[in-house]
Amino acid sequence: MNIQGHAALVTGAASGLGEATARELARLGAKVAVLDVNMALAEKVAADIGAQFGNGCAVACQCDITNTESVSAAIAKATAAHGTARVLMNVAGIGSAKRIVQKDGSAAPLEDFVRVVNVNLIGAYNVSRLFAAACAHLDRLEDGERGVLMFTASVAAFDGQVGQQAYSASKGWLVGMTLPMARDLAQHGIRVCTVAPGLFATPLMQQLPEAVQASLAASIPFPQRLGKPQEFAELAAHIVSNGHLNGEVIRLDGALRMAPR
């Protein structure tokens, strides 16, 4: 699919990998909806994209991906501004690290596990089902394609570390959902892929001490540095433009395999 001129939804687009993806899609000519629970940051990113690539090419939409009413309202706002989206980038997510048996001998809180799964898995599915239902009514493009959606998993889906049960499970479920959803949506001409990033220089990562960042970077075989958000964004954009990519999970990690801890 040629990205130029099409409407795109990007969740978690107010910072980090989501922001980089929204900016890259706009650079390539897409009309981008910046979906994020933090409206102030979303408005800032949308305004900056508009100033850089043209007024009207970005709109900020407050969106709690776990809440159907919130997602529906965000999609309605984006549709009013840009038309029905053909591209969905699911980038929003949260992390967690809780050992099953805590230091005091108590069991890990169930609420923490539920919260992570609710955002990372159920939230992504929630946005995807609403996007797909609308996209399925659009006219077909070349090869009969109507649209494409992407999930953001993690290398933790395969190499989860100590304490990452909730995070790894939520990302592993996204990996497991990729092929059946691609098969499900094939009849509607909607492709589905997932990117599983490794260690990236996101704002959250950059809050860690420099020595810790350097140690993490040293664990990556090559290139021995943290991934750049732009590299993630470029892969996300390539998934949109490469019409034969479907039902695939792509690791983007510099050959990293995470140690147990």
Side-chain angles (χ1 to χ4, degrees):
M1 182 194 301
N2 186 347
I3 293 172
Q4 178 74 38
H6 292 309
L9 308 173
V10 184
T11 71
S15 64
L17 302 181
E19 178 183 352
T21 301
R23 291 181 182 277
E24 178 65 7
L25 291 175
R27 186 186 72 80
L28 295 171
K31 297 174 288 186
V32 180
V34 179
L35 275 60
D36 204 282
V37 70
N38 188 325
M39 187 58 171
L41 278 180
E43 288 178 332
K44 183 177 182 298
V45 170
D48 191 45
I49 291 174
Q52 186 174 6
F53 301 113
N55 290 331
C57 73
V59 60
C61 304
Q62 187 166 29
C63 183
D64 175 357
I65 63 174
T66 68
N67 183 292
T68 296
E69 289 184 2
S70 178
V71 175
S72 296
I75 292 178
K77 182 179 180 181
T79 302
H82 298 150
T84 303
R86 290 189 184 271
V87 176
L88 168 62
M89 297 289 171
N90 286 297
V91 190
I94 59 175
S96 176
K98 298 279 186 182
R99 287 178 180 260
I100 294 179
V101 179
Q102 304 287 281
K103 288 184 177 180
D104 62 3
S106 64
L110 181 61
E111 295 78 10
D112 182 77
F113 189 95
V114 171
R115 179 179 63 91
V116 173
V117 171
N118 197 35
V119 173
N120 293 356
L121 172 65
I122 297 175
Y125 179 82
N126 192 28
V127 180
S128 297
R129 70 186 183 91
L130 296 174
F131 160 81
C135 186
H137 295 286
L138 292 172
D139 292 337
R140 292 182 183 268
L141 304 173
E142 185 180 358
D143 286 339
E145 185 171 26
R146 285 195 173 102
V148 56
L149 72 87
M150 185 194 80
F151 293 114
T152 303
S154 166
V155 294
F158 311 98
D159 313 326
Q161 295 184 297
V162 167
Q164 283 192 324
Q165 288 83 8
Y167 185 70
S168 294
S170 67
K171 297 301 187 178
W173 273 321
L174 291 177
V175 168
M177 188 162 61
T178 303
L179 181 58
M181 187 175 286
R183 288 171 165 172
D184 193 337
L185 293 177
Q187 63 183 311
H188 301 293
I190 300 172
R191 294 185 291 112
V192 182
C193 284
T194 294
V195 175
L199 300 174
F200 273 72
T202 60
L204 185 62
M205 177 69 74
Q206 291 170 339
Q207 291 177 8
L208 297 175
E210 288 189 10
V212 174
Q213 293 184 51
S215 176
L216 291 171
S219 69
I220 301 172
F222 186 80
Q224 209 162 63
R225 59 166 174 78
L226 299 175
K228 301 173 183 178
Q230 180 61 24
E231 292 170 320
F232 176 92
E234 288 169 357
L235 178 56
H238 181 72
I239 287 171
V240 177
S241 62
N242 189 325
H244 209 56
L245 271 174
N246 195 16
E248 187 58 79
V249 178
I250 306 169
R251 289 183 67 133
L252 186 65
D253 58 18
L256 173 68
R257 298 298 182 266
M258 300 293 287
R261 58 172 59 83

